[in-house]
Amino acid sequence: MSQTVVVTAPGGTAIVNAGGGSVVTSVPSTVVVEHEATPETIVVTRGIPGPRGQQGIPGPAGGAAFVRQTDAPLSALCVVWEDAAGVVRPVDYDDMDHVYLISGLTLTATPSAGDVTVQRSGPVDDTAWTWTPGPVYLGAGGALTQAPPADGFDILIGYAVSPARLYLDIQDPISLED
């Protein structure tokens, strides 16, 4: 808050702006400003809440989905494994080096290297699916299938409960003998 004071003294008039400490004189005179006002500081520790935002689309429960990087194009609804650097890649049912590193099912796609969302457990819906209720396994190249493999590893990814809903419940790989 700035305050202006006019001081009249013998020999002249001075205008003192107490807010900024400035002095303007109309005639030479002796005016001493001993107080220079400092700006008032107000710290707000809690503001007034704004209006509530729009409800977002439903997503997986907290912790069930996470974002990872991929170093190549990757489609949605693909089972992936994760390396030590946090990069995910499609996993194959007979890839003995990576079937024990499955991180989940991609929910998003990327046309090049970038972020993808991966879900580890819980329900996933896709209207393009045509599941028969029952088990869903890992197939070739990260694809989902309801036909259990005859070789490689039998990896149960989850259970279809309707044509368009899969409950992810990734089980440990079972090695199949040739």
Side-chain angles (χ1 to χ4, degrees):
M1 182 187 317
S2 176
Q3 186 177 29
T4 301
V5 178
V6 178
V7 179
T8 305
T13 302
I15 299 173
V16 180
N17 179 347
S22 60
V23 177
V24 178
T25 58
S26 60
V27 226
S29 64
T30 303
V31 176
V32 177
V33 178
E34 293 195 21
H35 176 293
E36 190 170 308
T38 57
E40 189 175 331
T41 303
I42 299 173
V43 177
V44 178
T45 57
R46 182 170 183 215
I48 299 169
R52 184 175 178 88
Q54 267 189 320
Q55 176 69 34
I57 59 169
F66 44 92
V67 175
R68 290 293 184 264
Q69 291 283 312
T70 182
D71 56 4
L74 188 60
S75 67
L77 307 175
C78 178
V79 179
V80 292
W81 68 277
E82 182 176 342
D83 70 14
V87 176
V88 295
R89 297 178 181 90
V91 63
D92 202 84
Y93 73 95
D94 64 356
D95 181 353
M96 77 170 17
D97 294 329
H98 301 116
V99 293
Y100 292 98
L101 303 174
I102 291 176
S103 62
L105 183 73
T106 58
L107 299 179
T108 57
T110 182
S112 60
D115 290 344
V116 291
T117 302
V118 179
Q119 185 168 330
R120 177 80 185 160
S121 63
V124 178
D125 296 306
D126 191 309
T127 56
W129 280 336
T130 57
W131 299 121
T132 299
V136 176
Y137 302 93
L138 173 62
L144 298 170
T145 180
Q146 287 199 287
D151 60 349
F153 292 86
D154 182 340
I155 305 169
L156 182 66
I157 299 300
Y159 302 89
V161 295
S162 73
R165 175 167 284 178
L166 167 68
Y167 273 91
L168 292 177
D169 184 18
I170 302 170
Q171 301 297 304
D172 289 334
I174 298 171
S175 179
L176 302 173
E177 295 188 21
D178 293 332

